[in-house]
Amino acid sequence: MIQEPMIMISSSYLMIALMLSLQVYIGLRNVLFGIVLPAEALQDPAVRAIRRNYALLTSGFAVVIGGVCFLWMRHQPARSLLIWTTAIVLLMIASGFAIWISRMSAQHLKAARGWEIVLQTKRAASLVAGRMRSPVLNTWWYSVNAAVMALCIFFAIAKWDTIPQLLILGNFEINKSVWNVFILNIVQVLNITVFVCYNLIISRARTSLDPQDQEGSLQKQLKHKKIHSILTWGASLLMVVFVGVAQAIALYGWKGKLLFLSGMSLCAALFLALIGVMLYLRIKGIDQLRDVPSMEDRHWKFLGSIYVNPEDPAWIVPNIHGFGWTINMANPRGKIIVAATVAIPVIEIILFLPILNK
């Protein structure tokens, strides 16, 4: 078994474990596992204990699952990829269990303390927001990503006669054909399409202003959208470049550990960028923006992760946890977006099935 893929997926396990353990300290301070708390509850020792217990419980699950899988891998090294993939799935399930326990504790604490949340029903709108420059990057920025893809296609066509009849990418050996040569370019197209659509979704996400600080909340929300838009564009570009490198390795016989190094660089860059954005939003207080119409606990289902509100006309709203946006699953357009999001990886798997089965 080649060690590089095992190192990559085990590193992914560590990154996911870290993110899951620390997610309770990211986002809105007055929201505890989807339960909205009053301002006076933020310094309550019991609230801090719930956050701390979740982090410790999730970390403990991560250590136990990782340790068991490491011992399993030592006895069956040929199944390293399957083992670590199983570890990631089990960790996600364990984290869901820890969230369920913590959410129940938060609900009981809120009831025991008699905390009441007075939700604002008044909403404010800005008449100048539509005339301001777009809060997200222009779609033309993605022409850079498309240019990288076009270069990959150009070189594949120009060097067609020198491309070997047997293409090798990692552990896979593929016979040369038009489909196999350009299949990774299709992946690039799907990647760019997904991120362009997500960028448009960010631009259309609801801007719910604080009636007590309309201008301040407007500027923070515009900055919030811009930061996420830049992160989205950068992630798309890195993925397109990585796929291009993988295509070049298969077509032009590049040797060494370039695929492994580029894969690790991609994971590290995305992870560090995500952490950096979260820290920046936290330091600047931008992650504390509240979408007033969606702050009721009853509208957040499945451990506070899915927004379902048929009375809300918006189909994209800020996530109650303070990072990114989520879909209103009671809105037909929201369901279409979710279906399309699920369809993309399914399409990619279908494209690669003939290659994986060889």
Side-chain angles (χ1 to χ4, degrees):
M1 178 68 184
I2 298 176
Q3 295 299 313
E4 285 83 354
M6 187 273 290
I7 294 174
M8 287 186 64
I9 197 167
S10 59
S11 299
S12 300
Y13 176 83
L14 293 176
M15 293 179 185
I16 293 172
L18 181 61
M19 290 296 298
L20 290 176
S21 299
L22 298 179
Q23 67 172 329
V24 68
Y25 296 105
I26 299 170
L28 292 174
R29 297 182 180 91
N30 68 318
V31 176
L32 186 62
F33 298 99
I35 305 300
V36 181
L37 304 177
E40 62 269 19
L42 301 183
Q43 302 303 321
D44 193 300
V47 173
R48 294 181 176 181
I50 292 174
R51 296 185 193 274
R52 182 178 63 252
N53 292 339
Y54 165 80
L56 292 174
L57 183 59
T58 304
S59 300
F61 280 135
V63 171
V64 172
I65 294 172
V68 171
C69 289
F70 179 77
L71 294 176
W72 182 13
M73 184 189 66
R74 292 189 63 181
H75 289 87
Q76 295 182 310
R79 296 185 177 181
S80 296
L81 288 176
L82 174 61
I83 291 171
W84 281 113
T85 301
T86 303
I88 292 176
V89 173
L90 290 176
L91 180 59
M92 299 293 288
I93 295 174
S95 174
F97 176 70
I99 291 175
W100 176 73
I101 293 178
S102 302
R103 182 176 169 85
M104 293 292 292
S105 299
Q107 288 176 327
H108 293 156
L109 178 63
K110 184 176 180 179
R113 295 284 198 274
W115 288 329
E116 296 291 339
I117 310 299
V118 179
L119 295 175
Q120 296 176 332
T121 57
K122 179 182 178 181
R123 285 190 279 177
S126 173
L127 299 179
V128 301
R131 296 194 293 268
M132 298 174 63
R133 64 179 182 177
S134 174
V136 300
L137 294 179
N138 191 286
T139 304
W140 282 104
W141 278 80
Y142 285 86
S143 61
V144 177
N145 309 40
V148 173
M149 180 191 67
L151 283 175
C152 295
I153 296 174
F154 171 79
F155 283 115
I157 295 174
K159 294 182 175 293
W160 179 266
D161 292 336
T162 62
I163 296 175
Q165 292 299 318
L166 187 64
L167 310 179
I168 299 176
L169 181 62
N171 295 328
F172 298 100
E173 296 182 350
I174 314 163
N175 292 324
K176 176 183 175 182
S177 68
V178 174
W179 176 260
N180 290 337
V181 167
F182 295 104
I183 186 173
L184 289 178
N185 300 123
I186 299 176
V187 173
Q188 290 175 320
V189 171
L190 292 174
N191 171 285
I192 295 173
T193 302
V194 167
F195 282 94
V196 166
C197 291
Y198 184 67
N199 190 60
L200 293 175
I201 286 175
I202 293 176
S203 68
R204 287 164 173 74
R206 178 167 60 202
T207 302
S208 180
L209 306 185
D210 185 348
Q212 299 177 355
D213 183 20
Q214 295 184 27
E215 184 61 26
S217 62
L218 172 62
Q219 294 304 320
K220 284 188 175 181
Q221 290 191 63
L222 293 177
K223 185 177 292 185
H224 189 249
K225 291 184 178 184
K226 177 69 77 173
I227 292 170
H228 280 80
S229 178
I230 294 173
L231 178 64
T232 298
W233 174 79
S236 174
L237 181 60
L238 287 174
M239 291 181 183
V240 169
V241 171
F242 170 72
V243 173
V245 171
Q247 183 185 37
I249 292 172
L251 300 186
Y252 314 129
W254 292 359
K255 303 297 182 182
K257 298 182 179 181
L258 185 58
L259 182 63
F260 167 69
L261 294 175
S262 58
M264 287 298 296
S265 298
L266 172 66
C267 292
L270 292 177
F271 181 74
L272 292 175
L274 184 60
I275 293 296
V277 167
M278 288 182 173
L279 289 175
Y280 178 80
L281 295 177
R282 189 72 169 183
I283 293 171
K284 296 295 185 179
I286 300 175
D287 64 338
Q288 299 307 305
L289 298 171
R290 296 189 305 162
D291 183 64
V292 176
S294 61
M295 292 298 291
E296 291 187 69
D297 300 344
R298 63 190 179 93
H299 295 315
W300 293 88
K301 313 297 183 181
F302 301 100
L303 303 181
S305 59
I306 299 179
Y307 182 62
V308 183
N309 184 2
E311 300 174 357
D312 191 342
W315 48 291
I316 304 168
V317 301
N319 196 309
I320 195 174
H321 299 290
F323 186 84
W325 292 265
T326 190
I327 303 297
N328 182 3
M329 290 302 296
N331 191 298
R333 287 182 294 180
K335 295 177 181 179
I336 293 174
I337 293 176
V338 172
T341 302
V342 173
I344 294 298
V346 172
I347 292 173
E348 292 184 349
I349 293 174
I350 293 174
L351 292 177
F352 279 97
L353 275 179
I355 296 175
L356 298 177
N357 289 332
K358 290 183 180 180

